[in-house]
Amino acid sequence: MASGDAPSGRSPHESQSYTYFGPPPFRVPGTLRAAGRAVADAARRLHEHLRTVVVLAGPGRTGAIGRASAQALLEAGVDVVTFGVDPHPEVPATHFTGTLPEAHVYIDALVGGGQEGRLRGTALEMILALRARAAPIVAVDLPSGLHPTEGLIGDAVAATVTIAIDGMWPALDHAGLAPFVGDLYLWRPGEDGVTRLVGGPERTATGGWRE
């Protein structure tokens, strides 16, 4: 896919500084829950005895999917700590104080395709704290810190698995970004599971999910 091509099923939206291809909001709560279940399933596949998960959730659609995954994991008996800026009645967010607790798996749902420049402030502090952890990371839509069309423009999350949501951002197709994207899967509304698209670099230290 060329850098300027729109991912399948996505429409162009204007930001303050550039045109990027963003998905329309998910208006049906059931769709959000289904996407969250797919992300939660990815987390379970990355650890045989999953007991603890940390979710980083931003204020947009990506964060909403992250919170939906947290809810799905909580319902499955997993201990989940969510850090975020958008309140949620069923998944309360923990205040970020500069460090992240240890967990079996981390879910990066901070920014996704809404990236509009280098990360700053609390979002940057969160991903730097996340990079200090060795456990597997599931990125929702796009690893935080990657620009959806330009790719690496500053500090970014190096994900073990990325779950693209209803289409693939151009940056995910950049071969040089494979260490940040990891194994790439696609989830679409109406599908029970995800489709594997690209296998990332081997990560024998943290295990992996390669079906």
Side-chain angles (χ1 to χ4, degrees), residues 174-195:
H174 294 177
L177 296 180
F180 295 92
V181 174
D183 281 2
L184 177 60
Y185 294 80
L186 174 65
W187 177 87
R188 290 187 182 277
E191 295 184 356
D192 293 333
V194 294
T195 302

Side-chain angles (χ1 to χ4, degrees), residues 46 104-108 127 130-131 133-139 157-162 181 206:
L46 283 171
H104 288 152
V105 173
Y106 295 85
I107 294 176
D108 164 31
I127 70 161
L130 180 57
R131 282 174 20 178
R133 297 300 186 185
I137 299 169
V138 179
V157 169
T160 311
V161 166
T162 296
V181 174
T206 58

Side-chain angles (χ1 to χ4, degrees), residues 27-211:
R27 302 182 185 279
V28 182
T31 306
L32 275 177
R33 290 195 297 271
R37 287 194 298 270
V39 173
D41 183 59
R44 286 191 292 265
R45 289 171 179 261
L46 283 171
H47 197 286
E48 184 178 1
H49 304 290
L50 186 66
R51 293 291 182 269
T52 56
V53 172
V54 168
V55 178
L56 308 182
R61 185 199 71 155
T62 299
I65 295 172
R67 290 190 299 276
S69 73
Q71 185 63 27
L73 289 165
L74 285 168
E75 292 171 355
V78 178
D79 291 331
V80 181
V81 178
T82 302
F83 292 86
V85 295
D86 199 16
H88 189 283
E90 297 178 350
V91 189
T94 301
H95 180 65
F96 179 69
T97 59
T99 60
L100 296 174
E102 292 187 2
H104 288 152
V105 173
Y106 295 85
I107 294 176
D108 164 31
L110 271 177
V111 183
Q115 183 90 11
E116 294 187 6
R118 294 189 179 190
L119 293 179
R120 293 180 173 82
T122 301
L124 175 60
E125 293 174 5
M126 282 185 174
I127 70 161
L128 293 178
L130 180 57
R131 282 174 20 178
R133 297 300 186 185
I137 299 169
V138 179
V140 178
D141 205 32
L142 186 73
S144 292
L146 292 186
H147 188 284
T149 59
E150 297 175 17
L152 189 63
I153 59 173
D155 292 291
V157 169
T160 311
V161 166
T162 296
I163 307 293
I165 305 296
D166 196 22
M168 195 174 82
W169 293 106
L172 294 174
D173 202 32
H174 294 177
L177 296 180
F180 295 92
V181 174
D183 281 2
L184 177 60
Y185 294 80
L186 174 65
W187 177 87
R188 290 187 182 277
E191 295 184 356
D192 293 333
V194 294
T195 302
R196 186 182 178 197
L197 301 179
V198 178
E202 294 290 342
R203 288 179 172 82
T204 55
T206 58
W209 163 34
R210 296 176 176 276
E211 295 181 354

